[in-house]
Amino acid sequence: MVNCYKMPLPSSLIFLYSIAMKKFPDVIPVFPLSGVIYFPKTNLPLNIFEQRYLDLVNDAFNKDKLMGMVQSKKENNAVYDIGCLGKISDYQKSKDGRVLINLTGISRFKILREVSSKKLYREFKVDYQNFSEDVENSNDDIDANSLMGKAKTFFKKNGLLLNWVEFEKLDQTQRINTLAMIAPVSNEEKQKLLEAVSIQNKVTTLDSIISFYLYETGSNNQTIQ
């Protein structure tokens, strides 16, 4: 049985965390994109060609290199409440006007409200306080052996190739976050993984999602005698 209770942070860590959080901007430009999530300490390559997002990326790159990503919803211009702040760690312009960037995740955030402006892209006031674990050291004591075994079976059944040798070189938090990012699951399930506050919550949630898909596949393949 998994214990998802999180011990309170020591006062010294709370102090260091609050200092780190103060460095993150309260108002950030946000790129809404359906079906895409990413996590702190993971990388997300993006090919930017739409003018409003070219403006967003160029403004962010020339300012502090920080921008947010959040999943868009199907209805209207709605977005989910939880996204991830990233830093542009690589920036290249192509001859045809596109911009290719790599976004490195820093911390998840909660959207408080949208900020009105005359810019083509959207900006939001955000808060990071629920995601202290994102800026702490990785916790490699989490038992994810069951999850990793199921993930290999799940990916194989879906015809997805992953270099497991290179994958195993990542630290445990990065492995779990990477699986959550690339797993072939629904947008709603991806968002559920993004909103899992602790790494243990994420392991439990992803294990449950993958187990459901494997069970469904197994049930559908059964032959009734």
Side-chain angles (χ1 to χ4, degrees):
M1 187 172 181
V2 178
N3 182 3
C4 296
Y5 175 74
K6 185 177 180 182
M7 294 292 291
L9 290 173
S11 58
S12 59
L13 283 181
I14 293 175
F15 175 71
L16 291 174
Y17 169 70
S18 64
I19 292 176
M21 291 297 99
K22 287 180 180 178
K23 296 180 181 178
F24 300 158
D26 293 332
V27 176
I28 60 173
V30 171
F31 187 167
L33 192 61
S34 178
V36 176
I37 61 168
Y38 80 119
F39 293 90
K41 302 178 184 177
T42 62
N43 293 301
L44 178 66
L46 291 170
N47 180 2
I48 312 295
F49 53 87
E50 192 174 342
Q51 188 58 54
R52 56 179 166 171
Y53 298 126
L54 288 171
D55 288 356
L56 186 160
V57 168
N58 287 326
D59 286 353
F61 186 74
N62 291 325
K63 184 183 178 183
D64 52 17
K65 297 181 173 60
L66 298 176
M67 58 178 281
M69 290 287 299
V70 68
Q71 274 209 105
S72 58
K73 295 183 177 180
K74 295 178 181 179
E75 62 273 13
N76 303 320
N77 287 324
V79 296
Y80 284 95
D81 292 336
I82 307 299
C84 187
L85 178 72
K87 185 169 186 176
I88 300 172
S89 53
D90 187 56
Y91 176 99
Q92 298 177 30
K93 283 187 175 181
S94 65
K95 293 181 179 179
D96 59 6
R98 292 176 296 119
V99 171
L100 309 176
I101 66 169
N102 185 73
L103 205 57
T104 300
I106 299 175
S107 173
R108 286 169 293 171
F109 58 78
K110 180 177 181 178
I111 289 177
L112 301 179
R113 62 180 175 84
E114 186 162 3
V115 177
S116 299
S117 75
K118 294 182 179 180
K119 298 171 183 175
L120 293 178
Y121 55 85
R122 303 170 72 180
E123 294 181 300
F124 293 86
K125 184 174 177 60
V126 300
D127 182 83
Y128 309 92
Q129 66 179 356
N130 291 335
F131 303 105
S132 61
E133 189 171 292
D134 290 352
V135 294
E136 296 168 11
N137 292 328
S138 298
N139 184 350
D140 286 334
D141 296 328
I142 299 298
D143 181 7
N145 291 332
S146 172
L147 170 62
M148 294 303 166
K150 292 176 184 178
K152 289 182 179 180
T153 302
F154 182 50
F155 275 54
K156 185 176 181 180
K157 284 181 177 293
N158 282 275
L160 299 175
L161 299 177
L162 184 63
N163 188 331
W164 293 101
V165 174
E166 292 298 318
F167 178 78
E168 293 295 335
K169 294 179 182 179
L170 302 174
D171 69 43
Q172 182 154 261
T173 298
Q174 288 176 315
R175 291 199 298 270
I176 294 164
N177 284 340
T178 298
L179 287 179
M181 284 175 63
I182 65 177
V185 299
S186 71
N187 291 359
E188 291 75 17
E189 288 164 330
K190 284 181 180 290
Q191 190 63 29
K192 190 175 182 181
L193 291 167
L194 184 66
E195 296 180 8
V197 175
S198 72
I199 193 67
Q200 182 62 75
N201 294 151
K202 201 177 302 168
V203 168
T204 304
T205 302
L206 185 55
D207 190 290
S208 176
I209 292 171
I210 289 177
S211 294
F212 171 78
Y213 279 101
L214 290 176
Y215 174 79
E216 285 292 297
T217 302
S219 297
N220 292 338
N221 289 338
Q222 286 181 358
T223 301
I224 300 177
Q225 300 292 331

